[in-house]
Amino acid sequence: MATTSPRTEVDECARGDAALTRAFSLLGKRWSGVVLGSLKSGPAGFRELSRAIDGVSDSVLSDRLAELARQGLIVRAVDAGPPVSVSYALTDAGQALMPALEQIARWAQEHLPEPG
Amino acid sequence: MATTSPRTEVDECARGDAALTRAFSLLGKRWSGVVLGSLKSGPAGFRELSRAIDGVSDSVLSDRLAELARQGLIVRAVDAGPPVSVSYALTDAGQALMPALEQIARWAQEHLPEPG
DNA sequence: ATAGGCACTTCGAAAATCAAAGCGACAGTG
DNA sequence: CACTGTCGCTTTGATTTTCGAAGTGCCTAT
């Protein structure tokens, strides 16, 4: 810490970074980060995501997709068929997060022990 | 065969990014991201973190610190006083995550609606 | 007609998180 | 010395989240 500071730096954003907190009120929910990451290679349907992600339950996936859409990170597009198909895709805001996710993935490869 | 995809290699690696999944099995837990972020400006004690983070309960903070330590992202250092004091600090692996967290924080400021 | 896929929703059970209180050690005050 | 307060946790229910399996409605292929 600061060696010679009589002042309180506590009021700074040093600790309690509001933006990070905000980000993790989303990303800190199970699967939301992975869902976003799964969308980076292009739009996908519900079932496709469900199978790709492996471990997430339908109900939670549904929740996460709804919440991410509500937050404007992804969009739900319905293509009236006749075979009606639904697809989820990243918005600009969602895309903007991809570099960070890629960085996290790279970090995990280097610094996170393998599962097992 | 499916009407849309002529061929999906997508299922292979693009989706289901293992590293990202691994990362979020940690960061996807409530508060772990914020705890790490709080440590980026230097070591801190339990009570200090507890107050800085605002919202986390002691029991969860305790859990997160233990888990992050177990994963090698932070270290717990005890300074035998007499006034015994404990402090938590980022390891190299933990430090290596900071750029990503900063990027996420920046992203949140630009793309995440304010708390309200 | 039977079977299967898609996009979800519903439901009960298990797990995670919460807020509050408690504990042992120590320090400061009167 | 008793009393209050801080630190670093742990324990104890209550509340919330997540899980996993099954069900629904629609459409298509056999």
Side-chain angles (χ1 to χ4, degrees):
Chain A
M1 329 254 175
T3 49
T4 53
S5 262
R7 291 174 194 165
T8 358
E9 295 174 4
V10 189
D11 54 35
E12 285 275 351
C13 56
R15 312 238 184 264
D17 187 342
L20 198 63
T21 301
R22 212 142 14 106
F24 273 104
S25 72
L26 264 184
L27 298 179
K29 289 195 168 184
R30 214 111 160 195
W31 302 114
S32 42
V34 184
V35 167
L36 287 168
S38 297
L39 251 20
K40 82 158 181 272
S41 53
F46 186 93
R47 194 55 43 194
E48 199 177 349
L49 287 170
S50 163
R51 259 182 281 96
I53 293 181
D54 186 56
V56 70
S57 65
D58 282 7
S59 45
V60 172
L61 179 57
S62 188
D63 258 21
R64 287 308 99 91
L65 288 171
E67 182 165 17
L68 292 172
R70 210 182 313 128
Q71 295 284 345
L73 304 191
I74 65 178
V75 246
R76 181 180 186 269
V78 183
D79 172 35
V84 168
S85 79
V86 178
S87 73
Y88 297 89
L90 295 170
T91 61
D92 285 356
Q95 284 286 1
L97 186 58
M98 292 305 105
L101 290 191
E102 281 160 22
Q103 200 167 353
I104 286 181
R106 257 179 277 120
W107 168 83
Q109 278 177 335
E110 272 190 68
H111 301 282
L112 229 47
E114 12 176 309
Chain B
M1 194 52 176
T3 51
T4 40
S5 308
R7 193 74 149 107
T8 24
E9 289 180 17
V10 196
D11 288 326
E12 300 275 341
C13 52
R15 311 238 185 268
D17 188 343
L20 198 63
T21 300
R22 210 141 18 101
F24 273 104
S25 73
L26 265 184
L27 299 178
K29 289 193 169 185
R30 215 112 159 199
W31 301 115
S32 41
V34 184
V35 167
L36 287 167
S38 297
L39 251 20
K40 83 158 181 269
S41 54
F46 186 94
R47 193 62 35 198
E48 198 176 349
L49 287 170
S50 164
R51 257 182 280 94
I53 292 181
D54 186 57
V56 69
S57 65
D58 281 7
S59 46
V60 171
L61 178 57
S62 188
D63 257 22
R64 286 308 100 91
L65 289 171
E67 182 164 17
L68 292 173
R70 211 181 310 128
Q71 295 284 345
L73 303 192
I74 66 177
V75 249
R76 179 179 187 271
V78 182
D79 173 34
V84 170
S85 78
V86 179
S87 72
Y88 297 89
L90 294 170
T91 61
D92 284 357
Q95 284 286 1
L97 186 58
M98 292 306 106
L101 291 190
E102 281 160 21
Q103 199 167 354
I104 286 181
R106 258 180 277 119
W107 168 83
Q109 278 177 335
E110 272 191 66
H111 300 283
L112 231 48
E114 13 176 309

